[in-house]
Amino acid sequence: MTSPDRFGLDDAGSDNDRVGRVTLVGAGPGGADLITIRGAAALATADVVVYDRLADPELLELAPAGAERIAVGKAKGEGVDQDDINALLVDMALRGHHVVRLKGGDPFVFGRGSEERAAVEAAGIRCEVVPGVSASLAAPALAGIPLTHRGMSASFTVLSGHRIPDADHEWGALARSGSTLVVMMGATTAGQVATRLMAEGRPADEPVAAIHRAGTPEMDVATMRLDHLAEYGCPFPAPTVLVIGNVAAFAHPTLPTAAMSERPTARSVGSSQAELPVG
Amino acid sequence: MTSPDRFGLDDAGSDNDRVGRVTLVGAGPGGADLITIRGAAALATADVVVYDRLADPELLELAPAGAERIAVGKAKGEGVDQDDINALLVDMALRGHHVVRLKGGDPFVFGRGSEERAAVEAAGIRCEVVPGVSASLAAPALAGIPLTHRGMSASFTVLSGHRIPDADHEWGALARSGSTLVVMMGATTAGQVATRLMAEGRPADEPVAAIHRAGTPEMDVATMRLDHLAEYGCPFPAPTVLVIGNVAAFAHPTLPTAAMSERPTARSVGSSQAELPVG
């Protein structure tokens, strides 16, 4: 067992006999009340909150007034290295603290939560995970889009646009899977993704929805065709979730976009339904 | 009793006219405290709660004591027809009630929430969606499985095993997509799914995790190889989430299973990591 004393950093008022722990909490997609009750309860007992740039600032108010709040959000290469975040979680827990690691959306969806958990557990510290509402599912839901729909799409695939085009996707298989595609962190690479999918056979007129700041009062939704996405790129900056597939035509757009010449219409693919309840 | 002007609606009618509405609330994966704060707040103002069989019974305690509670859960062909559920929601809202439709997981992930919303809106009734934590993401997270992992899987695909084998999946593309596969409602069809994926090229020794009753004190996790899943089927009854892919080797199993001759080992696929923090 590692002794907290080896750091020589204990606060005068802290209890050295306390066993520290880490709770990885999903903050939800945006909108402080989209955190779970379990996640809010973890925050309420936090001694230290380590949070990302994307977490809703109001969430920090759920922690006790005396809790330490440490921002480690990363943006465009700035922020704290992952190794340093891991070390911070371990260090704070070894001091006997309850450390809440607050991550946007769900901690395990492109969140590197698994790396943090592995580091914490490797140090012999208890680590609990509280799942969160992932923007990958919540953004489409809030925009009125069912990711699956009978006769239209029987599955959905979530991928990150963050490392496009060098990410190791099997584009041909993804394009032909029939799956609704949900692209996270793809605002800047949306044009490349669309071009690649069309090259692999997705139709130029396939509906696309872009959902910006889902779950917040500033939420915006735009719809367009896949070829328009390829030509004009994403109409919103980050954070934006893209939905590519016929179900995107169900979206309730909040504004017209320059890239949208006309509203996509829902097409029934192999369905007995002649008309779909679009809009 | 809630006032219509609270919803920003025109209250031009008589004082006795109440404007009903419907809120589709995701109940989360299991474990009453995995509902969102927004979902709990909706329940707290419900006049009527229409709930599924899978919703945690404790969630019903979040509604006012005087609220009407109507079970419409479907199991093995029993339960209420979808058309009748839609009609019930419309009827109750037209009577001026705030109707909370409580659905397991997220309302829009294989939940037919979009059909219910369309029916409600077609009747001119306001319908709000409160996303929930989907078991498709939460079950793997609670079992210690990251659905994506650098160098191992860059995306994940969620499908339902409910209508296998007649569901319209592009099995070849799904098998070759490199995506981690998450199969919902697949406890009874797991063997067929595994056989089909192996026939399309997924390796016989690919790791599989089965997660039963995620988020509850009765949660169970088992791991096995894909060929063992094909031969023996799912080790748990419903509700069970299956994860098929190399990331499944990260699972923390809670019990050994007859179908598992040995613990799968995490294999690094195209990664710079020689060893992965399994266990």
Side-chain angles (χ1 to χ4, degrees):
Chain A
M1 286 297 287
T2 310
S3 164
D5 294 336
R6 79 184 174 90
F7 288 91
L9 293 170
D10 284 300
D11 297 333
S14 73
D15 179 352
N16 285 355
D17 291 334
R18 285 211 310 170
V19 178
R21 62 191 172 112
V22 174
T23 309
L24 296 181
V25 174
D33 59 350
L34 287 176
I35 195 172
T36 63
I37 292 175
R38 191 181 295 181
L43 275 170
T45 60
D47 300 308
V48 180
V49 182
V50 179
Y51 66 99
D52 280 340
R53 184 170 150 268
L54 287 176
D56 193 306
E58 278 185 40
L59 287 169
L60 297 176
E61 296 170 15
L62 296 174
E68 188 171 357
R69 290 152 169 85
I70 304 173
V72 295
K74 283 170 282 189
K76 298 192 171 75
E78 298 169 8
V80 181
D81 281 346
Q82 186 65 52
D83 285 348
D84 292 337
I85 295 173
N86 296 352
L88 176 67
L89 300 177
V90 168
D91 178 47
M92 288 292 180
L94 288 177
R95 294 193 211 182
H97 294 313
H98 177 204
V99 183
V100 169
R101 174 68 173 112
L102 189 63
K103 299 173 78 73
D106 182 271
F108 275 19
V109 177
F110 305 117
R112 303 186 72 170
S114 58
E115 296 173 41
E116 297 179 5
R117 169 142 91 170
V120 168
E121 292 186 339
I125 297 160
R126 184 157 75 94
C127 186
E128 187 189 354
V129 175
V130 180
V133 175
S134 171
S136 63
L137 307 186
L142 291 166
I145 303 171
L147 292 177
T148 61
H149 190 80
R150 210 177 288 195
M152 188 178 270
S153 173
S155 66
F156 62 92
T157 298
V158 181
L159 59 153
S160 166
H162 182 50
R163 288 155 62 83
I164 304 291
D166 56 358
D168 193 32
H169 295 299
E170 298 287 345
W171 289 105
L174 283 179
R176 285 185 292 276
S177 66
S179 225
T180 301
L181 301 182
V182 181
V183 183
M184 310 285 290
M185 297 170 277
T188 59
T189 59
Q192 296 171 68
V193 169
T195 300
R196 185 67 187 264
L197 288 170
M198 285 168 59
E200 297 285 357
R202 293 287 268 231
D205 65 348
E206 183 157 295
V208 175
I211 306 135
H212 179 60
R213 291 184 61 75
T216 75
E218 296 80 32
M219 176 170 160
D220 271 340
V221 179
T223 56
M224 68 214 74
R225 295 161 42 122
L226 188 58
D227 56 353
H228 294 165
L229 183 65
E231 186 172 354
Y232 299 102
C234 182
F236 304 123
T240 293
V241 174
L242 293 164
V243 178
I244 303 171
N246 288 320
V247 293
F250 284 97
H252 297 226
T254 52
L255 77 173
T257 74
M260 182 174 65
S261 61
E262 60 183 23
R263 177 81 184 284
T265 54
R267 293 165 303 170
S268 181
V269 181
S271 165
S272 61
Q273 290 179 268
E275 199 168 325
L276 290 157
V278 179
Chain B
M1 198 65 53
T2 45
S3 162
D5 57 12
R6 171 170 166 216
F7 316 129
L9 299 173
D10 187 8
D11 192 18
S14 78
D15 289 344
N16 292 330
D17 283 341
R18 299 172 60 219
V19 179
R21 58 179 177 131
V22 174
T23 309
L24 296 182
V25 175
D33 59 350
L34 287 177
I35 195 172
T36 63
I37 291 175
R38 191 181 296 182
L43 275 170
T45 60
D47 301 306
V48 180
V49 182
V50 178
Y51 65 98
D52 281 338
R53 186 171 150 268
L54 287 177
D56 192 307
E58 278 184 39
L59 287 169
L60 297 176
E61 297 170 16
L62 296 174
E68 189 172 357
R69 291 153 170 82
I70 304 173
V72 294
K74 284 170 279 189
K76 297 189 173 76
E78 297 170 10
V80 181
D81 281 345
Q82 187 64 52
D83 285 348
D84 293 336
I85 295 174
N86 297 353
L88 176 68
L89 299 177
V90 168
D91 179 49
M92 286 293 180
L94 287 177
R95 294 193 208 181
H97 294 314
H98 177 204
V99 183
V100 169
R101 173 70 172 111
L102 190 63
K103 300 174 76 73
D106 182 271
F108 274 19
V109 177
F110 306 117
R112 303 185 73 167
S114 57
E115 296 173 42
E116 297 179 6
R117 169 143 91 170
V120 168
E121 293 186 339
I125 297 160
R126 177 173 165 186
C127 186
E128 186 188 356
V129 175
V130 180
V133 174
S134 171
S136 63
L137 307 187
L142 291 167
I145 302 171
L147 292 178
T148 62
H149 191 79
R150 211 175 286 194
M152 188 178 268
S153 173
S155 67
F156 61 91
T157 299
V158 180
L159 59 153
S160 166
H162 180 52
R163 289 156 60 84
I164 305 290
D166 57 355
D168 193 34
H169 296 299
E170 298 287 344
W171 289 105
L174 283 180
R176 286 186 292 276
S177 66
S179 224
T180 300
L181 301 181
V182 181
V183 183
M184 311 284 293
M185 297 170 279
T188 58
T189 59
Q192 296 171 70
V193 169
T195 300
R196 185 66 187 265
L197 288 171
M198 285 168 58
E200 297 285 357
R202 294 288 269 232
D205 65 348
E206 183 157 295
V208 175
I211 306 135
H212 179 60
R213 291 184 60 76
T216 74
E218 296 80 32
M219 176 170 160
D220 272 340
V221 180
T223 57
M224 68 215 73
R225 295 161 42 123
L226 188 58
D227 57 352
H228 293 166
L229 183 65
E231 185 170 357
Y232 299 103
C234 182
F236 304 122
T240 293
V241 174
L242 293 164
V243 179
I244 302 171
N246 288 318
V247 293
F250 283 97
H252 296 225
T254 52
L255 76 173
T257 72
M260 182 173 64
S261 59
E262 60 182 24
R263 179 79 183 283
T265 54
R267 292 164 304 167
S268 180
V269 181
S271 165
S272 60
Q273 291 180 268
E275 199 168 325
L276 291 157
V278 180

